[in-house]
Amino acid sequence: MNIIGNFIKGVINVSDKITGDDNPIEEQKEVLKNLLQSGKDTSFGKAYGFDSIL
């Protein structure tokens, strides 16, 4: 189990260095947009108007 965790952490560290995005605010906005987009058709997303937030 520990080997898998170390592998995942290594992949995350490498991907962070490759992407090189310097604006964490814009990155967070993009993550939020993706989450709202993927959840807008769920019952929770419909109940709380995810579609109107986008």
Side-chain angles (χ1 to χ4, degrees):
M1 237 11 179
N2 193 15
I3 295 171
I4 295 172
N6 288 337
F7 176 75
I8 292 172
K9 287 178 187 176
V11 170
I12 291 170
N13 288 336
V14 168
S15 67
D16 284 345
K17 291 178 183 176
I18 292 173
T19 58
D21 293 332
D22 294 330
N23 190 343
I25 294 171
E26 291 301 318
E27 289 179 32
Q28 285 295 311
K29 286 180 182 180
E30 189 65 29
V31 169
L32 178 60
K33 180 181 172 185
N34 290 337
L35 289 170
L36 291 171
Q37 185 70 33
S38 64
K40 71 178 183 175
D41 294 326
T42 64
S43 59
F44 187 86
K46 289 176 183 177
Y48 289 96
F50 284 9
D51 196 32
S52 66
I53 297 171
L54 293 168

